[in-house]
Amino acid sequence: ELPEGWCWASLDQLLRERLINGRSVPDAADGFPVLRLTALRSDRVDLNERKTGQWSIDDAWAFLVKKGDFLVARGNGSIRLVGRGGLVTDDPDPVAFPDTLIRIRVDASHYNQRLLALFWNSALVRLHIERRAKTTAGIHKVNQSDLEATPFPLPPRIEQERLLSELDRCFSVAVEVEHSAETQTTRLGVDLILSSST
């Protein structure tokens, strides 16, 4: 049950453009950079996880990665990892994405990309993806139509901003607490060293 004013929407209703699979390219000494599947890290995309592919910028143009893109793993040997996604949070230098990933671009005026990232690896979305994943030769895979049917809670736009502001505040507090704990631990260690040496 959703809060008042919220509704359910399928992913295809939130899109700015259709989903697209990346392209498979062999490794090359010279060519255009392409992300690795390992670029997906804890709900984000690590733009440093890349290789050089045997293609030109013209070949890669349709697969260039932009800030706000959400990339999803098409397949994995583990059911728990198939369909996992990460958000591109920085403006990348020119780099494309491979066939092991699917690119999602939501309409940012309707649905905040950070909210998509927040909900993506939730139990609700995981249940939808894992129930629809198909297994071939021990690899679990999801396709575009399965992802497009994924249900998402859709808060009013002003509520989306409030939720993200509150989330930022919570993360900020968590970082401060972690930093304080590290400082206290360091001081305690120094005190123990000093007391044992006297």
Side-chain angles (χ1 to χ4, degrees):
E1 188 174 340
L2 294 175
E4 186 177 351
W6 294 37
C7 64
W8 289 104
S10 55
L11 179 63
D12 63 330
Q13 294 174 309
L14 306 175
L15 296 177
R16 185 181 80 206
E17 57 187 66
R18 294 297 305 268
L19 303 187
I20 180 174
N21 293 357
R23 181 172 156 187
S24 176
V25 288
D27 295 1
D30 294 309
F32 193 80
V34 59
L35 294 174
R36 300 178 185 274
L37 179 60
T38 53
L40 291 180
R41 298 270 178 90
S42 300
D43 306 334
R44 295 191 177 206
V45 175
D46 181 353
L47 295 169
N48 295 315
E49 282 290 312
R50 59 176 68 189
K51 65 178 183 178
T52 303
Q54 189 178 332
W55 58 348
S56 68
I57 187 169
D58 291 335
D59 298 327
W61 189 259
F63 308 99
L64 290 182
V65 175
K66 296 181 180 178
K67 182 178 180 179
D69 284 352
F70 193 79
L71 302 177
V72 174
R74 286 180 58 205
N76 200 286
S78 169
I79 191 70
R80 301 292 178 205
L81 296 178
V82 65
R84 290 284 178 181
L87 182 67
V88 179
T89 57
D90 300 311
D91 282 311
D93 58 325
V95 62
F97 66 102
D99 65 320
T100 54
L101 297 173
I102 297 174
R103 184 179 67 200
I104 298 175
R105 287 180 171 166
V106 295
D107 182 351
S109 66
H110 190 56
Y111 204 74
N112 192 293
Q113 301 99 320
R114 290 178 58 210
L115 199 62
L116 176 79
L118 180 66
F119 285 130
W120 188 266
N121 292 320
S122 67
L124 173 73
V125 173
R126 290 306 311 160
L127 182 64
H128 174 87
I129 289 173
E130 291 176 17
R131 282 182 172 174
R132 286 157 181 78
K134 298 164 183 65
T135 309
T136 305
I139 302 297
H140 302 278
K141 292 186 177 180
V142 290
N143 59 40
Q144 292 180 17
S145 60
D146 289 333
L147 294 182
E148 287 174 346
T150 306
F152 282 90
L154 176 58
R157 185 65 197 199
I158 191 168
E159 186 74 1
Q160 293 181 38
E161 301 305 326
R162 189 193 69 75
L163 284 169
L164 291 170
S165 294
E166 182 64 17
L167 186 66
D168 288 340
R169 188 191 67 76
C170 290
F171 280 147
S172 177
V173 169
V175 168
E176 287 180 16
V177 169
E178 182 179 2
H179 178 69
S180 176
E182 288 174 356
T183 302
Q184 293 299 326
T185 302
T186 302
R187 286 179 183 162
L188 179 61
V190 170
D191 289 346
L192 287 172
I193 291 170
L194 291 175
S195 63
S196 65
S197 62
T198 56

